[in-house]
Amino acid sequence: MRARKNTIPSHTIEAVDHQVRRLCWRYADKLQFHGWHHVSFVRAKAAGFAEHNGADRAVVEVAALVHDVNYIVHRNSPAAAGRDLRMSILRECGVEETVARWIDDIIDEAEMATRGRHISLEAQALSDADTLFKALPVTPVVLAHRYLRENGLSLRELAHKIVGEQRDVHDSGYYFYNPKAAENYSRWALANLQLWQCIKEAVDDPTVVELLDAVHATDFEAEPAAS
């Protein structure tokens, strides 16, 4: 679908912002990684990428706001799991039905695990922003443990997920669609993937497994007893 630029009025975007922000705070315990800090970052970056590539900025902003509501519905789920909640939010905030369906399609298009080389400009802007969040050098240090807790994954499972979903996309040359993003952030992306490849290899080393088990046991023993 192609529409005139800024298809969604500003007051409607503000209404979606309010709804999603409220949900993020309500479910903060469930959204340790995909909370408002993530949503607001992706929205800001996606809007900039949309301006640069000629996409409909308003549509991209709203897509960024609702792209991860699936994690409220079910942990460790694909974007499609949030479709009913997403569409409900968009309808309640006054987004036209055809535009709401377009936004839902954009979110499916942009998903890391399934995205292809030739996706819409709007999906490219959303994907680049979401991908950048994953590639930030601070993400593995500050946020990876939150992802593990939020989604009930082991370190091994997360390493296999990241390498499995991102390596081929990176090597095929469309990790970032925006040329400026690729120029600015590809070094970070490569370093991030190399780190997770090393983690993937390390967690299969029996000695490293013993080390991790010992660390986890220490953490468990250090937890205060329930009163």
Side-chain angles (χ1 to χ4, degrees):
M1 178 179 180
R2 176 54 53 191
R4 62 184 172 80
K5 298 300 172 60
N6 295 327
T7 307
I8 305 171
S10 59
H11 69 271
T12 303
I13 300 174
E14 290 171 7
V16 177
D17 176 290
H18 176 74
Q19 283 276 61
V20 174
R21 191 192 298 253
R22 183 177 61 83
L23 286 170
C24 283
W25 289 114
R26 179 180 176 185
Y27 294 102
D29 288 346
K30 293 180 67 173
L31 301 174
Q32 296 185 41
F33 183 91
H34 291 103
W36 184 249
H37 57 280
H38 172 75
V39 174
S40 58
F41 176 93
V42 172
R43 175 192 181 177
K45 286 295 185 181
F49 292 138
E51 290 281 356
H52 185 269
N53 74 2
D56 187 313
R57 173 175 175 152
V59 167
V60 170
E61 278 197 66
V62 174
L65 284 167
V66 297
H67 79 286
D68 275 340
V69 296
N70 53 290
Y71 291 101
I72 296 173
V73 176
H74 196 276
R75 71 192 324 202
N76 195 30
S77 62
R83 179 165 293 123
D84 289 347
L85 176 57
R86 182 178 302 119
M87 295 298 285
S88 175
I89 293 168
L90 297 177
R91 290 189 191 104
E92 186 176 336
C93 293
V95 178
E96 295 178 7
E97 186 71 20
T98 54
V99 177
R101 289 199 300 268
W102 181 22
I103 288 168
D104 191 58
D105 289 343
I106 288 166
I107 291 166
D108 281 344
E109 256 193 300
E111 190 156 32
M112 173 64 81
T114 55
R115 67 182 172 92
R117 184 183 298 276
H118 304 292
I119 61 176
S120 67
L121 294 177
E122 286 73 22
Q124 288 180 25
L126 175 59
S127 175
D128 280 349
D130 202 25
T131 298
L132 176 57
F133 188 87
K134 296 177 176 71
L136 291 172
V138 297
T139 296
V141 179
V142 178
L143 294 167
H145 67 288
R146 292 189 174 200
Y147 192 97
L148 296 175
R149 286 203 302 263
E150 178 186 292
N151 292 287
L153 297 178
S154 67
L155 185 61
R156 174 182 284 102
E157 288 169 329
L158 179 56
H160 278 264
K161 175 181 172 66
I162 290 172
V163 174
E165 291 181 357
Q166 299 183 30
R167 183 88 247 183
D168 287 347
V169 172
H170 179 275
D171 292 348
S172 296
Y174 57 95
Y175 195 80
F176 292 109
Y177 297 93
N178 184 296
K180 193 67 175 176
E183 178 184 344
N184 289 340
Y185 307 124
S186 287
R187 185 168 62 92
W188 291 357
L190 179 58
N192 184 65
L193 281 171
Q194 288 174 333
L195 170 64
W196 284 104
Q197 178 63 45
C198 289
I199 293 172
K200 180 173 174 286
E201 295 166 4
V203 294
D204 287 330
D205 183 306
T207 307
V208 176
V209 172
E210 289 181 12
L211 168 65
L212 294 175
D213 287 344
V215 170
H216 293 155
T218 302
D219 289 343
F220 180 78
E221 291 171 1
E223 290 180 0
S227 57

